[in-house]
Amino acid sequence: MTAALLACGPELPRSVQPVGQSGADAWPDVAAPLPARHDGRRDAALIVSVEDYAHLPDRPGAHAVAGAWYRYLHDVRGLPHRRIRWLRDPGGPEAVGAALRKCTGESSATPPSG
């Protein structure tokens, strides 16, 4: 399973080059119709969209961008709905961490040291 973190504003990304990955493919234009590839059926995704920040400027439209990514992952990449989790305004990093652990099947308990 591959994990990626994408942060973007309310504008839909149009072939944005991933940061720090030289030679990597550009991000797909999730706003455009794309042919189904269904090469991600064994993948899982956690999408986090935040429009209402407590200490930063709000990002209206973030949920629309996240929805476009959800449709791309399901319709084009073939991820089943049960393997895509979408958190809207989760309320803090703890909620995101809990959702990520749930997606990956990890326990929230701290592993024993030693």
Side-chain angles (χ1 to χ4, degrees):
M1 178 182 351
T2 302
L5 177 62
L6 171 67
C8 58
E11 305 81 29
L12 291 174
R14 295 206 178 262
S15 300
V16 177
Q17 188 70 18
V19 176
Q21 297 182 14
S22 61
D25 291 337
W27 292 111
D29 182 356
V30 296
L34 296 168
R37 297 186 337 217
H38 292 251
D39 57 351
R41 286 179 277 212
R42 296 183 54 176
D43 293 340
L46 173 61
I47 301 168
V48 180
S49 58
V50 179
E51 288 191 348
D52 184 23
Y53 283 93
H55 303 289
L56 296 170
D58 289 347
R59 301 302 296 191
H63 298 323
V65 173
W69 277 102
Y70 188 104
R71 286 185 300 278
Y72 167 78
L73 291 168
H74 179 265
D75 297 346
V76 176
R77 297 296 306 277
L79 275 72
H81 290 292
R82 69 186 185 325
R83 296 186 60 116
I84 305 172
R85 189 159 176 83
W86 180 3
L87 296 179
R88 294 167 190 85
D89 293 317
E94 297 83 13
V96 175
L100 186 57
R101 284 189 298 276
K102 187 173 182 178
C103 285
T104 60
E106 293 179 20
S107 168
S108 60
T110 305
S113 61

